[in-house]
Structure formats: structure tokens, C-alpha cells
Amino acid sequence: MGFVFNLSAFENNIAVISEEGERYYYGDLNYLCGRMETFFEAKDKQLIMIQAKNNIETLTGYLAAVQSGNAAMLVDANLDQALMNILIEVYQPDYLWGPKKGERGAVYASRNYELVRFDWPGEAKLNPSLCVLLSTSGSTGSPKTVRLTSDNIVANARSIAAYLNLDETERPATNLPFHYSYGLSIINSHLLVGAAVLLTGTPVVKKDFWDFFKREAGTSLAGVPYTYELYKKIGFFKMDLPSLRYMTQAGGKLDTGIILEFARFSREKKFEFYVMYGATEATARISYLPPQYNIEKAGSIGRAIPQGRMRLVDESGGTVTKPYTEGELVYEGPNVMMGYAHSRQDLARGDEMFGVLKTGDVSYFDEDGFFYITGRKSRFLKILGKRVGLSEIEEHLRSKGFDCVCGGKDDLLLIACQQGEADGDRRETVEKIKTEIATRYKIPLDLLDVFMINDVPRNSAGKINYQEVFSKKLKGSEEGGG
């Protein structure tokens, strides 16, 4: 047995509260895991693919897999079936735990889920340290995954529990997807301390979510930038949530204006607001901004989590030592993944990272040692030889009232704008954006294409799907020789 969580230590604590009012104790989770584990044949480490939803079946399947010393691969249960079939073929899981379909190979069922066993010819063995596989692409179905060990999971959960001061009295709401590293980290860090998780898959825009949160005295809320935009739209600042202790934000850079709004509101209402930064490749969390600095240092990702270290590397590979000097952010810590995987064969590989992660994010630190992200290395274009930051342009256009996302390639800046209904409004908006970009960034109009979209596509974690926005435009420019 390769226990990841000491569930027995909290046997009489409530572990899960469902929207329907069901209560599962840690002892119940132990029992449910034990029942399921008996169906995993006692041989080499096996891969259990889990079609994840925010429900008790997913939680018990995940725990049964990792507590028994096997490996769990979490995928979005809402993934298109054709994409799901590709993942199954590529990773050749020993078992699939997912919604009931009456499959012939089912060896076990519980509530609305069934366990299907596969028998692949000559399947590759798994590395003994492998514990969890998570996708880096949300709901796109890409076969690229991150290989995590139980040490990665526990180290990150401990660090999070330490800086958030978690204990067994916490009741976090699971308003982020289970298969998303941020959402999973909330589960892991609270299981570690014996807390009770408010298990829900209801969107935060629904009244039922808030009724559940208030009824069960929820203590924390989480969100990516898009979630915080939704919080504002639904009138969060007018809500009465006396049990709320803290909120966390990660999954991308939140607009500084929104940070300040939530920071000030949190102080008024006496709860804490944490801005955080992370990556699936680091299990989840890399840094956090202590709440006492969220106004003074608004826009900062803070400092490294406990047991972690952040530094910057310049283009020549040297370490940046001067404040306000940009470099690539490099993170070191026990939560860094073993490496990537693209197929079953990759799961036999060992640690290829050795605790060091080059994040690909361009950053600087101030005189107090607080870090600030300025963009992605891959989110830069060269226009007439000059480097242009796509994230910076997005932020600037939003400050001017335009809801835009940016993409493109060298010598072609693409801007997709979600704004305006009438044709006249659209044309006027396009011209305003073009004038703003040409004036501020000195980009020639013939190297700029602004177009309108109805909606900004996002994955299940609320992150923008840039490929979907710009793939057709880029393909068209290549075919046209532009």
C-alpha cells in the first residue's frame, strides 16, 4: 500500500458534504476506497483513468487509486467521446472509472460510476514513483500530461496548508474542476489537514451554489481570473457571507483593478484575499502574495511557497540579481513534476526535472523581493524586429474598455475583440483599436488584423483557448503567403 493521505487519522471528521446534504466521514472514504481497491489486481503499478466530475464517485476513485499505490489519470468527464477514445488508446489505462454505460468489461460499480477493466497486449509498465497524471490543456483532449509523484502531491499540499493556515475546521467549496491542478490542490490540501470539503459542480452564477455555501457555512472560495469577473457580475460585493475566511485567485493574471476591489472588500469584511501563481508542472502552487500586501503590491505574484525558491535567468543563462530586470522565472522545489508524457510508453520514465522548472514566464522582482509576471516567452511576437508582449497589449486594451485577446506570429499581430452588435459599432470598434495600437506601439496597420468574435472560447478551467481563436486566421495568412 502506498498511502498518500492518512485518512485514518481523521476517521471521525466529516470529509465531504454534498449539495444534497450527504455527509461522508474520513472513515467512510477509507471504507469506500478499500472496496474499490479489491478490484485492482495485485500486480505491478496500474493506471486508473478517471472521468472526473465534482462528485463523490470521482473523489473515491482518485483516492482508491493513489492510496493503493497505483496511478490516477484525471480527465474531464465532459470531454468529447472521440477525444476520450484517443486518450484511452494512447495511454492504455488498466482501468477506466467513469459514468455508467453498461460496458461489458465493468468489474465494479458504485452509485453512478462503473470500473471497466482493459486488457492491452504487451502494455508498458509504469514508473514506481508515478502517482497522478494531469492534462496541461484543460478540455481540449491533448494527450500531453504532467507526471506527478506522491511526494509532489504531499509537498505541495503541505506548503499550501502552511501559508493558508489550514486546519480541520475549514470548509472549502469545490467550484473549480477536479481534473484541473488548482481544483485538485484544494482537495489535496484540505484532506491533508482533516477538513470537510463542500462538494459541488454547480456554477457560481447559480443561486443554488450560494445557498449551499451559506447553508453549510463555507469558509473559502477560489477562482481563476474569469471566475472573479463572474463574482463581480453576480453581485458578490453585496452578498452576506459571514462564514467566509479567505479567497484565493490563481490560473492567470487578474486585472489589477479587480485585485484592488477584492483586496479592499476583504479588509472591510474581515476575510483574507490571496493572489497566487502556479503551474500544473509544479503540481499546482509556486508562489503567493500575503494578504497584507495585496494593496501595496497589487499585481505581484508574491514570493515562493514554503519549501520553494524562485529566481530569474537572463537570455545568456545568468542569474538576474538587480531589481526590475526581466528574466525567465525558474522555480525549484519538491513539488516539481517528473516530466511530461504523451503516451503509455512515457509513463515508465523517471524524474527528468530534478526539482527545477523553467516556467516560460517573463518576470522581474522589486527591491523587496516580490515577483511580477510581465508575459510569456511564447506570448511575444517580433514586429519589424521589435519584441511585442501580447499580454501587455491585452491589458492595455482592457484598460481602454475593449474586451480583446491577442495572438499572431512574427510581423502579424492578431486582435480578436468581443464587443459591439451592430455593423456600425463593429467597424467603429475595429478602427478605434487599430488607431490605439498603431499610435501606442508603433505597429504599421498592414501588420495588424483586428476582427470581432461573439464569445471568447474558454476551457473547463476558465482559461482562454487561444488556439481556437486564432488558428483559422493564422492558417489563412500562411496559405495567402502573409
Side-chain angles (χ1 to χ4, degrees):
M1 300 289 283
F3 293 127
V4 176
F5 303 100
N6 187 4
L7 302 179
S8 298
F10 308 106
E11 188 171 359
N12 297 317
N13 286 14
I14 296 175
V16 176
I17 301 173
S18 75
E19 285 183 282
E20 294 73 33
E22 298 169 303
R23 278 160 164 71
Y24 296 86
Y25 289 79
Y26 277 80
D28 296 329
L29 292 187
N30 242 345
Y31 171 73
L32 291 171
C33 289
R35 281 183 58 190
M36 189 169 176
E37 288 169 21
T38 61
F39 293 92
F40 302 149
E41 295 180 3
K43 56 174 185 176
D44 295 327
K45 182 184 284 280
Q46 297 169 100
L47 179 64
I48 295 89
M49 183 181 284
I50 299 169
Q51 293 178 296
K53 296 184 177 183
N54 286 19
N55 57 23
I56 189 65
E57 294 95 327
T58 296
L59 179 60
T60 53
Y62 166 68
L63 289 175
V66 301
Q67 294 292 91
S68 62
N70 290 297
M73 180 177 179
L74 296 167
V75 299
D76 187 353
N78 295 318
L79 199 63
D80 178 81
Q81 188 58 50
L83 295 175
M84 182 69 71
N85 291 341
I86 291 173
L87 288 179
I88 291 173
E89 187 68 30
V90 168
Y91 278 95
Q92 300 183 351
D94 299 280
Y95 294 91
L96 174 66
W97 178 240
K100 284 182 179 177
K101 293 182 180 178
E103 299 285 352
R104 292 181 180 179
V107 295
Y108 170 69
S110 177
R111 294 171 63 102
N112 297 315
Y113 268 47
E114 63 187 3
L115 184 68
V116 177
R117 183 180 181 278
F118 293 101
D119 187 17
W120 303 95
E123 62 191 23
K125 291 186 177 182
L126 309 185
N127 185 282
S129 297
L130 183 64
C131 182
V132 172
L133 287 178
L134 293 177
S135 172
T136 62
S137 61
S139 58
T140 64
S142 167
K144 184 178 180 181
T145 58
V146 162
R147 296 181 289 122
L148 302 172
T149 68
S150 59
D151 288 342
N152 294 153
I153 299 291
V154 173
N156 206 224
R158 282 177 177 162
S159 294
I160 294 168
Y163 74 74
L164 290 179
N165 301 306
L166 302 183
D167 61 29
E168 59 188 47
T169 66
E170 298 291 343
R171 288 192 170 189
T174 60
N175 57 294
L176 293 174
F178 206 126
H179 63 274
Y180 174 39
S181 59
Y182 185 4
L184 184 60
S185 74
I186 293 170
I187 300 287
N188 291 335
S189 57
H190 286 84
L191 288 179
L192 192 76
V193 299
V197 174
L198 302 187
L199 199 56
T200 173
T202 300
V204 298
V205 295
K206 299 289 187 180
K207 182 178 180 293
D208 288 348
F209 174 89
W210 299 102
D211 289 343
F212 175 48
F213 187 85
K214 288 187 276 191
R215 183 175 68 248
E216 298 297 348
T219 59
S220 63
L221 294 164
V224 298
Y226 183 59
T227 316
Y228 277 82
E229 292 173 15
L230 292 177
Y231 285 151
K232 281 193 62 179
K233 287 179 181 178
I234 62 176
F236 177 83
F237 295 139
K238 295 180 181 179
M239 291 184 185
D240 181 26
L241 303 171
S243 61
L244 181 63
R245 297 178 184 176
Y246 72 91
M247 296 180 75
T248 62
Q249 182 271 317
K253 190 172 184 180
L254 183 61
D255 179 81
T256 302
I258 298 179
I259 290 174
L260 288 170
E261 286 185 81
F262 277 89
R264 291 174 181 135
F265 184 73
S266 70
R267 296 184 187 193
E268 177 188 334
K269 295 297 183 179
K270 308 299 182 187
F271 67 85
E272 295 183 316
F273 173 51
Y274 291 83
V275 174
M276 312 186 302
Y277 164 77
T280 304
E281 290 85 345
T283 307
R285 208 80 298 118
I286 286 176
S287 72
Y288 73 104
L289 181 65
Q292 63 266 35
Y293 296 106
N294 57 24
I295 291 179
E296 176 189 351
K297 303 285 188 181
S300 171
I301 61 167
R303 295 167 172 161
I305 63 172
Q307 307 303 314
R309 175 176 174 246
M310 296 194 297
R311 58 187 172 89
L312 302 181
V313 176
D314 60 26
E315 292 185 359
S316 64
T319 299
V320 174
T321 57
K322 292 182 180 180
Y324 302 102
T325 304
E326 287 188 346
E328 181 181 3
L329 181 61
V330 177
Y331 173 77
E332 300 176 19
N335 50 313
V336 174
M337 65 175 179
M338 287 197 290
Y340 294 109
H342 297 86
S343 68
R344 174 81 183 207
Q345 286 65 38
D346 292 336
L347 305 187
R349 287 155 45 191
D351 188 357
E352 298 166 336
M353 307 297 290
F354 305 105
V356 180
L357 176 66
K358 293 182 178 180
T359 65
D361 285 321
V362 179
S363 178
Y364 69 86
F365 55 83
D366 64 17
E367 65 277 1
D368 298 318
F370 286 79
F371 285 75
Y372 295 75
I373 301 293
T374 58
R376 290 282 299 169
K377 286 182 70 177
S378 59
R379 292 275 293 151
F380 285 91
L381 304 179
K382 281 194 174 181
I383 306 292
L384 298 178
K386 180 183 176 183
R387 197 172 79 152
V388 175
L390 298 178
S391 298
E392 178 191 344
I393 294 176
E394 286 180 352
E395 286 189 30
H396 175 70
L397 288 174
R398 287 187 188 121
S399 74
K400 296 294 183 180
F402 301 111
D403 187 5
C404 297
V405 293
C406 298
K409 62 181 182 177
D410 288 351
D411 287 332
L412 177 61
L413 172 61
L414 298 176
I415 299 176
C417 184
Q418 180 184 333
Q419 190 168 321
E421 293 296 330
D423 288 342
D425 291 340
R426 288 172 176 257
R427 284 195 297 269
E428 184 179 349
T429 298
V430 167
E431 290 308 314
K432 284 182 178 179
I433 292 172
K434 284 184 175 182
T435 301
E436 181 66 30
I437 297 301
T439 303
R440 181 179 178 87
Y441 297 99
K442 313 302 180 192
I443 296 175
L445 292 176
D446 60 341
L447 302 183
L448 173 63
D449 186 3
V450 180
F451 60 99
M452 309 301 294
I453 55 176
N454 293 325
D455 295 292
V456 176
R458 297 176 184 271
N459 64 23
S460 58
K463 291 188 176 183
I464 295 169
N465 187 337
Y466 286 98
Q467 183 179 1
E468 186 175 333
V469 176
F470 298 110
S471 59
K472 288 184 180 179
K473 282 282 183 179
L474 286 171
K475 185 178 180 181
S477 70
E478 290 168 3
E479 291 175 348

